[in-house]
Amino acid sequence: MSEECSVAVGVRIRPFNDREKALNAQLCVDVDGPTTILQNPPELADESGKGKEAKRFTFDASFWSHDGFEADDRGYCKPAPGSRYADQQLVFETFGKRILDSAWEGYHCCLFAYGQTGAGKSYSMVGYGANKGIVPISCEEIFTRIAANTDAGLTFEVMVSMVEIYNEQVQDLLVAPKNRPKKGLDIRESQQLGIYIAGVTRRPVDSYPSIEAVVDEGTENRTVGSTLMNATSSRAHTVLTIEFKQVSQAAGQSGQKLSLINLVDLAGSEKAGQTGASGDRLKEGCAINKSLSALGNVIEKLADKATGKAKATAIVPYRDSKLTRLLQNALGGSSKTVMICAISPASSNYEETLSTLRYADRAKRIKNSATVNENPQDKLIRQLREENEKLRNMVGTETPGADTGISSEEMSQKQAEIQALEQALMEMQKSFAERLSEAQKAQASTKKEKSVDIKMPHIANLNEDHLLTAKLKFAFKEGTTRVGRGHQDDGEGPAPEVALQVPGILQEHAVVENAGGTVTLKAASAEAAATTFVNGTALQQDTAVTLSHGDRLAFGQCIFVFVEPKKGKVAELINSGQVSYALARKELQQGEVAGPSEEELKASRELAEELERKAKEAEEAKDRAKAEAEAMMRKREEEFKLQMEQRQKQWEEEMKQREAAEANEHAAAAEQARVHEQELARLQREFEERQRKAEQAAQTRIEELEKKAQKAAAEEEGHRQHELAMQKLEEQLMTVMPLVKEANLIIAELQRPHRLETKMHCELTAEGKSGAVNVAAAVMLNGVRLFEWNPETLENRVFILRELLQRAEDEGLEAVADLCNEEDPLWDPIQVERLIGVSQVLLEGVLLQVENKVDARILSSEGQAVGTLKVEIIPIAKDGSLGIPDEEVVDEPEELLGTCMKILVAVPSAVGLPEALANDVRAEYNYFIDEKPHHLPVVSGHNCNPEFNYKHTFVQDPVTSRFLEYLQSKLVFRVYGRDSAAAAAAEELARAREKPPPAPEAIPSPSAARAVEQEAAAVAEAEAQPEEPVPAPPAPPVLPGTIGEGDAGLREAGAGGEASPGSPAPPPEVKQTASQASLRRAAEDAVTAPPPEPQTVESKKKSSICAIL
């Protein structure tokens, strides 16, 4: 019985994290039922010209978990009344329950979480605290359903295994790291068992607490492994397999339904980016990226087959990685599969979110043919025996290397299959009760060995993954506790109580003394003190530090927190926010990068408060001015009304008196009325004039206050942007500096001469503002900077260095001492040409139609002055002469619109360039909307004051408003030069490449032997004659970048080597000495990337270049 079903896909949107809140991230994701809507960020919308057109993806479910929740007393996040928040229970009811229902019917099931690091995969799968995820809820639900069974003829058997796939190695998490095979476990395939992991521990469980204990044990071993192997959860895949078996008894016959439930937490999806994302040549060569890349290829191929884009017979590359091999049954096999994609709602993660949604959109098209796994136990055992016997006969009758065509490797593989099948037979013949009893005894013994007396002072690990924090504990017993390497190279002496096998940890690293509850830490040597920190401060040799509750301890790259049980527990420290991995890591960086002091932070806060206060005061002053103006206008209106009423009353009174006294004087009354009307008109005009002036004064005052308010708001915004830039820079440093430190520790362990340094580069924009501050890692060799890595390349190379370190520990340093360039993570084409600095020149003089001749400072990327660039920007008159005559000068720049403007840009020379970089100096700049930069001529040779004599005339016809805006910015010149030290390193590399391999010895023929004898006799006769002095050939001139006497260190590192000072100089061999021109060409070849198909002999290339590096 089979059922065709598609992969069910759901998307879950998490809340903003603290970083996104601090950066004022914009929400770019929304949901509409099962549809996920992704809005284009404003910057992308403007570039594409498509406005705010959104992308819509429809899945089986879209979970809105961004907001609209409230926490109850237990800390469980539940939906607020009327909100659309999707809590953990809803996610389980939608997908987790579907998985369990399918398992009860006898189908294999798989649920895996996909998404970038920090998107919420582990929260959905495992959960935190009271917010349990799908895994614990499913495990609890399994035993709840088993307890509700009322069929006496139906019994259940549950077995659990837990593995981790890291660096293409499958590690059993239910086995302590020290007891695991070095190369991990093998994934095999059998006709009866299908795809399985040979030798994996399958732990029987009979209750939810027992399965919870198994998961905790696996998580603890995972923490130990990550601490010892420098692995991080974001780079590893965790697979929890629940083997759920239903055994039925009916009419004396026994049957079973078997379901394998795979719960997979994948590594961060951003690690599967294309090579072009970071430009690292070894991106795809790193095994750590292989599994997710292979998973993407498998999903794409299966989706193409389901939609008809690919043939039904097309091969799906399951065997490309261990992950896809293990999930082969879940992807395109006989399993019911669910995929949960976790995404970030922040616009800053738009690209990763879009990539995840497209990934999920392809996965939902995959179709599986699920089959109920209902087979009699006896039949399966018989088939396994037959298959095992067949393999035994094959191995017994065939000899490796004989005419049978079976190699030794194939023979050993078949023998391994026999052992795996025998193990499976032994397990299947045991009863579940026997296996359960054995597992409980083994678990009790392991628990006793691993038990740590947390009533004593102890340390607990801190990890960037919250699930791995406080899983590793070391107790400090009364007396002395040693901290050091996890193994002894000489095999003598006891191992330290706190064993840490990580770079930077010595065999005897530190000593902890516990005297009556007072615990002190002391470094064993000066070298150990340099890599041991307490609260971010390095230890001093021969100085003991007393530890207090909550102190953060760092041994190399391992970070712990010290716990005094009398003062609290580690969970209380972590949950209160007093201690965290991020805070401890930040402490460690304080000593290397001078972060802001308390006084600087206080001053920054006071400045922000002052700017906010000024903006508020300016707004209040503007409001007061408006109110005062309105009040003054109302007062003047009231005064005018009062005057008018008084004049009216006075006039009426006078009219009454005159009417009574002079009834016949009508003419005088008419005259009086006319004068009164004139007086009223005059008063009206005066009032209107005063009102107009008051309105003008009030408007002027309001405009002034608005300008002050805008200025204050701009200052506040500038300060906020500066704070955000500093926060982003701090985040970059927090990411790069630990990797640089770890890389240096590993390089020292590998005994390589390289060293990494953290560099910061500030970009200058045409608007005159400092642009983004980029952090990079410079690779140094004997004090010479060879090249730089961006953070993405650095991270990738550190993981490859970890692989090399593990290989060196397994096979010895000789295994990694002679790597070719393509495999060496510390090799890249040497960057000979470097940016000396950037120079800016104002264009505003052209807008004002005046000449601008300046000596512009050249600023390096570190912000230091490294020379001066002489620049002339001169507008050209209509007759072609330099400069604009007075009669052509306009009053307003807008009058230039529509006219023809000519501008001369001249760069006569540069002055005071640094000695090391003043070789083959050149410069370039971008002008207006030109796509390609304009180049100044290269000044060959070494010259600190190069003469460019550059002139170029630009014609803008007609002048547009956009061009006038451009003239309010700056012209940015970038000055480049060749690094003489890096060029010397490149030439030394070229020397090693040109060194010919030794010629193979050949047996001469008789005639050739006679010729050699005759030539030797002639030479001997010539030497008997007095030798005439032969003038030595002239020494070649020393060119910039060639090996000089000051570069003896580089020369000694070469394969050719120099004679010692006391030895006589050998006679010159002109035929074997490379010319300066050939060395220069070879140096140029050395600093470029190797061709796809090198024509040189591989062995020659490998030996010579590895000798240098």
Side-chain angles (χ1 to χ4, degrees):
M1 166 179 176
S2 63
E3 176 185 346
E4 187 176 80
C5 55
S6 299
V7 173
V9 178
V11 172
R12 194 176 191 187
I13 299 97
R14 64 160 172 79
F16 285 140
N17 56 29
D18 294 338
R19 173 183 176 273
E20 292 164 347
K21 290 177 181 177
L23 297 177
N24 293 327
Q26 300 296 317
L27 182 66
C28 69
V29 180
D30 197 3
V31 299
D32 181 12
T35 301
T36 300
I37 305 169
L38 181 63
Q39 300 286 351
N40 281 333
E43 59 273 14
L44 293 182
D46 293 342
E47 292 176 5
S48 63
K50 297 182 180 179
K52 297 183 178 180
E53 183 180 352
K55 297 178 175 64
R56 304 174 71 89
F57 300 86
T58 301
F59 304 104
D60 293 88
S62 292
F63 301 105
W64 179 262
S65 301
H66 177 67
D67 56 11
F69 61 90
E70 55 186 16
D72 59 14
D73 297 337
R74 299 181 298 114
Y76 180 77
C77 297
K78 61 181 181 180
S83 74
R84 53 177 177 168
Y85 178 76
D87 61 356
Q88 297 283 63
Q89 189 63 34
L90 177 60
V91 177
F92 169 76
E93 292 291 338
T94 305
F95 287 131
K97 189 173 180 297
R98 178 188 299 189
I99 290 290
L100 293 185
D101 291 342
S102 299
W104 238 260
E105 295 173 5
Y107 294 102
H108 290 328
C109 307
C110 180
L111 185 148
F112 60 96
Y114 182 87
Q116 69 179 111
T117 301
K121 301 186 302 298
S122 297
Y123 180 81
S124 295
M125 293 295 290
V126 182
Y128 303 132
N131 298 279
K132 293 182 179 179
I134 292 178
V135 173
I137 296 178
S138 299
C139 295
E140 190 172 10
E141 179 67 17
I142 287 175
F143 291 101
T144 301
R145 293 189 181 189
I146 290 176
N149 175 49
T150 58
D151 187 356
L154 181 62
T155 58
F156 301 90
E157 299 177 5
V158 182
M159 303 185 72
V160 179
S161 62
M162 192 172 179
V163 299
E164 181 181 60
I165 302 176
Y166 177 78
N167 193 18
E168 280 302 289
Q169 293 182 358
V170 181
Q171 300 292 350
D172 191 344
L173 292 180
L174 299 183
V175 175
K178 62 182 180 180
N179 299 329
R180 298 174 187 168
K182 291 183 178 181
K183 297 297 184 180
L185 302 177
D186 293 325
I187 297 178
R188 301 192 179 280
E189 184 174 6
S190 167
Q191 293 180 357
Q192 306 305 325
L193 298 179
I195 298 170
Y196 65 99
I197 302 175
V200 68
T201 302
R202 296 159 61 236
R203 189 75 55 79
V205 291
D206 59 351
S207 64
Y208 173 67
S210 61
I211 196 173
E212 190 177 29
V214 171
V215 173
D216 289 342
E217 179 185 351
T219 304
E220 181 180 345
N221 286 332
R222 180 184 177 197
T223 307
V224 176
S226 66
T227 302
L228 297 181
M229 309 307 296
N230 298 292
T232 57
S233 61
S234 63
R235 285 279 183 145
H237 316 286
T238 306
V239 182
L240 175 67
T241 302
I242 302 174
E243 184 179 318
F244 178 67
K245 185 185 297 184
Q246 304 174 68
V247 181
S248 59
Q249 301 289 339
Q253 297 294 325
S254 176
Q256 70 174 18
K257 286 183 181 179
L258 176 65
S259 175
L260 296 180
I261 308 172
N262 289 312
L263 304 174
V264 187
D265 190 0
L266 295 175
S269 61
E270 73 279 0
K271 311 304 179 187
Q274 297 298 324
T275 306
S278 64
D280 186 8
R281 63 182 178 87
L282 293 180
K283 183 73 174 178
E284 295 301 324
C286 180
I288 209 69
N289 302 290
K290 187 176 181 180
S291 57
L292 277 177
S293 298
L295 180 61
N297 294 335
V298 167
I299 289 180
E300 184 175 6
K301 183 67 69 175
L302 289 172
D304 290 344
K305 291 180 67 175
T307 56
K309 292 183 179 179
K311 295 182 179 179
T313 57
I315 298 176
V316 180
Y318 292 114
R319 296 178 179 270
D320 285 358
S321 78
K322 296 290 182 67
L323 176 66
T324 53
R325 184 71 171 140
L326 186 60
L327 297 180
Q328 179 174 346
N329 195 38
L331 298 169
S334 60
S335 173
K336 290 195 173 183
T337 304
V338 174
M339 176 179 180
I340 294 181
C341 293
I343 61 175
S344 165
S347 57
S348 56
N349 293 319
Y350 173 84
E351 293 296 338
E352 288 293 344
T353 298
L354 178 60
S355 175
T356 301
L357 291 174
R358 287 174 173 168
Y359 199 94
D361 193 56
R362 288 196 298 268
K364 74 179 183 181
R365 302 172 189 161
I366 299 175
K367 295 188 181 297
N368 289 349
S369 181
T371 305
V372 174
N373 300 281
E374 189 173 14
N375 293 316
Q377 178 85 356
D378 295 339
K379 180 180 178 182
L380 180 60
I381 292 177
R382 187 180 69 253
Q383 290 175 342
L384 283 175
R385 285 175 175 169
E386 292 174 355
E387 186 176 355
N388 195 17
E389 189 65 26
K390 182 179 178 181
L391 286 172
R392 280 184 174 278
N393 294 334
M394 185 181 301
V395 172
T397 58
E398 295 175 347
T399 304
D403 296 338
T404 57
I406 297 181
S407 63
S408 300
E409 183 178 354
E410 292 175 345
M411 185 66 69
S412 61
Q413 185 176 358
K414 292 183 181 299
Q415 290 174 345
E417 290 181 7
I418 292 175
Q419 294 177 359
L421 289 174
E422 288 178 347
Q423 183 68 25
L425 279 170
M426 291 174 59
E427 287 292 324
M428 295 184 71
Q429 290 174 351
K430 290 182 181 178
S431 68
F432 181 73
E434 291 175 349
R435 284 181 285 182
L436 183 61
S437 176
E438 292 176 0
Q440 289 174 344
K441 291 179 181 179
Q443 191 173 5
S445 176
T446 304
K447 187 175 182 180
K448 185 177 180 180
E449 292 178 1
K450 292 185 176 180
S451 62
V452 175
D453 189 358
I454 59 174
K455 294 181 180 179
M456 293 190 296
H458 60 278
I459 55 175
N461 76 298
L462 297 176
N463 195 287
E464 61 180 331
D465 188 345
H466 182 76
L467 296 174
L468 304 185
T469 294
K471 297 295 183 182
L472 184 62
K473 298 182 178 68
F474 296 101
F476 298 143
K477 63 182 185 299
E478 188 74 20
T480 301
T481 301
R482 294 160 49 237
V483 181
R485 276 278 185 171
H487 66 277
Q488 298 288 335
D489 292 337
D490 53 9
E492 299 179 359
E497 290 81 1
V498 180
L500 303 172
Q501 188 179 337
V502 295
I505 302 297
L506 306 179
Q507 295 293 345
E508 295 294 334
H509 194 84
V511 176
V512 179
E513 293 285 345
N514 183 359
T518 301
V519 181
T520 58
L521 175 65
K522 182 179 178 181
S525 63
E527 186 179 357
T531 58
T532 307
F533 299 83
V534 176
N535 298 331
T537 302
L539 295 186
Q540 300 296 324
Q541 188 179 9
D542 300 329
T543 302
V545 177
T546 303
L547 302 180
S548 301
H549 183 63
D551 282 350
R552 283 75 59 201
L553 280 66
F555 301 101
Q557 294 297 103
C558 302
I559 302 178
F560 297 88
V561 58
F562 177 70
V563 181
E564 290 188 65
K566 296 180 180 179
K567 297 183 179 180
K569 300 179 180 179
V570 63
E572 297 172 354
L573 291 171
I574 295 173
N575 294 335
S576 65
Q578 182 179 349
V579 174
S580 69
Y581 176 84
L583 293 176
R585 177 59 68 185
K586 188 174 182 180
E587 273 183 340
L588 291 174
Q589 306 312 125
Q590 294 291 338
E592 299 186 24
V593 174
S597 62
E598 289 296 330
E599 293 77 9
E600 291 173 338
L601 291 173
K602 182 179 178 181
S604 178
R605 288 193 297 268
E606 291 177 351
L607 176 60
E609 293 172 358
E610 178 68 18
L611 291 173
E612 186 177 357
R613 183 182 60 80
K614 286 183 177 180
K616 187 176 180 180
E617 288 178 354
E619 193 67 27
E620 291 175 352
K622 184 178 73 171
D623 294 338
R624 284 198 303 270
K626 287 184 177 180
E628 290 174 0
E630 292 175 357
M632 183 176 63
M633 295 299 296
R634 287 194 300 269
K635 183 179 179 181
R636 290 185 180 276
E637 288 179 358
E638 292 174 357
E639 290 177 354
F640 177 72
K641 284 183 179 181
L642 183 59
Q643 289 180 4
M644 294 294 292
E645 290 175 357
Q646 290 176 354
R647 294 291 296 178
Q648 184 69 21
K649 289 179 181 180
Q650 182 180 359
W651 180 74
E652 290 177 354
E653 186 66 27
E654 290 177 356
M655 290 298 293
K656 289 179 181 179
Q657 291 177 0
R658 292 192 179 188
E659 284 178 358
E662 301 177 358
N664 57 349
E665 295 182 358
H666 296 289
E671 180 63 22
Q672 186 67 24
R674 187 182 62 80
V675 172
H676 179 68
E677 290 178 356
Q678 291 178 351
E679 182 67 15
L680 289 177
R682 185 183 63 80
L683 290 173
Q684 180 70 26
R685 287 194 300 272
E686 290 179 357
F687 171 75
E688 291 176 354
E689 182 64 21
R690 287 197 300 269
Q691 186 179 21
R692 186 182 61 80
K693 291 181 179 181
E695 289 177 352
Q696 289 180 350
Q699 184 64 28
T700 302
R701 175 65 175 165
I702 290 173
E703 290 176 356
E704 292 177 355
L705 292 174
E706 284 181 349
K707 289 181 180 179
K708 289 183 179 180
Q710 292 174 357
K711 183 178 179 181
E715 290 178 353
E716 184 181 7
E717 178 64 19
H719 179 73
R720 191 183 70 83
Q721 292 295 337
H722 174 73
E723 291 294 323
L724 290 177
M726 291 299 100
Q727 184 176 354
K728 291 180 180 178
L729 174 60
E730 183 178 0
E731 288 182 356
Q732 291 185 52
L733 291 173
M734 287 285 289
T735 301
V736 171
M737 295 191 66
L739 292 175
V740 168
K741 180 186 290 186
E742 181 182 355
N744 286 329
L745 292 174
I746 296 176
I747 290 171
E749 294 275 345
L750 296 176
Q751 300 180 9
R752 300 288 293 273
H754 300 76
R755 180 170 179 79
L756 270 63
E757 295 181 0
T758 304
K759 299 290 184 181
M760 291 184 291
H761 302 301
C762 181
E763 298 178 356
L764 298 178
T765 63
E767 289 74 20
K769 301 178 182 179
S770 59
V773 179
N774 299 318
V775 181
V779 182
M780 315 292 290
L781 178 63
N782 298 329
V784 178
R785 196 203 72 164
L786 303 180
F787 38 78
E788 289 185 354
W789 291 336
N790 58 31
E792 291 81 9
T793 301
L794 170 65
E795 183 180 10
N796 193 55
R797 297 302 175 89
V798 169
F799 280 105
I800 301 178
L801 286 170
R802 290 175 183 171
E803 297 170 13
L804 287 182
L805 180 61
Q806 183 62 36
R807 182 179 170 189
E809 291 179 350
D810 295 341
E811 306 174 16
L813 286 174
E814 297 79 8
V816 297
D818 192 20
L819 298 174
C820 63
N821 293 346
E822 289 75 10
E823 299 177 357
D824 191 353
L826 295 176
W827 184 90
D828 264 331
I830 299 177
Q831 300 170 356
V832 172
E833 185 178 70
R834 287 181 53 190
L835 176 68
I836 298 176
V838 175
S839 183
Q840 297 178 317
V841 181
L842 284 169
L843 292 171
E844 195 172 2
V846 179
L847 197 62
L848 301 175
Q849 296 180 292
V850 296
E851 298 181 359
N852 187 15
K853 298 182 179 181
V854 294
D855 293 341
R857 289 190 306 168
I858 303 174
L859 297 178
S860 68
S861 57
E862 288 82 10
Q864 300 177 350
V866 289
T868 303
L869 189 68
K870 297 182 179 295
V871 181
E872 299 176 0
I873 301 179
I874 305 172
I876 300 176
K878 294 180 180 179
D879 59 1
S881 60
L882 299 181
I884 303 297
D886 294 341
E887 58 272 14
E888 295 183 15
V889 176
V890 298
D891 295 331
E892 297 294 336
E894 288 73 13
E895 298 179 24
L896 296 172
L897 290 172
T899 63
C900 178
M901 179 180 289
K902 297 181 181 180
I903 304 171
L904 174 66
V905 176
V907 184
S909 62
V911 179
L913 299 183
E915 287 280 347
L917 300 178
N919 305 293
D920 299 339
V921 179
R922 68 177 184 87
E924 64 181 26
Y925 64 96
N926 290 89
Y927 178 80
F928 195 30
I929 58 175
D930 294 349
E931 294 182 357
K932 297 182 179 179
H934 296 265
H935 298 274
L936 277 66
V938 178
V939 179
S940 301
H942 179 74
N943 194 340
C944 294
N945 305 307
E947 299 284 342
F948 295 109
N949 297 321
Y950 171 82
K951 292 183 179 180
H952 187 84
T953 301
F954 293 96
V955 179
Q956 181 64 30
D957 188 14
V959 174
T960 61
S961 56
R962 183 179 178 185
F963 182 72
L964 293 181
E965 292 178 3
Y966 170 71
L967 293 182
Q968 297 176 7
S969 63
K970 296 180 179 180
L971 200 61
V972 180
F973 292 87
R974 298 176 294 277
V975 184
Y976 295 88
R978 287 171 56 86
D979 188 344
S980 58
E987 292 188 358
E988 189 66 25
L989 186 64
R991 289 180 193 273
R993 179 181 295 179
E994 286 188 349
K995 182 179 178 181
E1001 296 183 359
I1003 300 176
S1005 61
S1007 59
R1010 287 192 299 271
V1012 170
E1013 291 176 358
Q1014 294 175 1
E1015 184 177 355
V1019 170
E1021 183 179 356
E1023 288 179 350
Q1025 302 296 330
E1027 183 178 1
E1028 296 181 4
V1030 179
V1038 180
L1039 299 177
T1042 57
I1043 302 289
E1045 295 181 359
D1047 296 319
L1050 288 170
R1051 180 180 291 112
E1052 291 172 0
E1058 285 285 305
S1060 61
S1063 61
E1069 299 179 2
V1070 180
K1071 293 182 179 180
Q1072 297 182 5
T1073 302
S1075 65
Q1076 290 290 340
S1078 64
L1079 284 178
R1080 181 72 66 183
R1081 287 194 299 270
E1084 294 292 340
D1085 295 338
V1087 299
T1088 57
E1093 298 180 357
Q1095 300 299 322
T1096 55
V1097 180
E1098 182 63 24
S1099 60
K1100 170 185 174 182
K1101 178 180 179 182
K1102 177 176 178 181
S1103 60
S1104 61
I1105 295 180
C1106 291
I1108 290 296
L1109 296 181

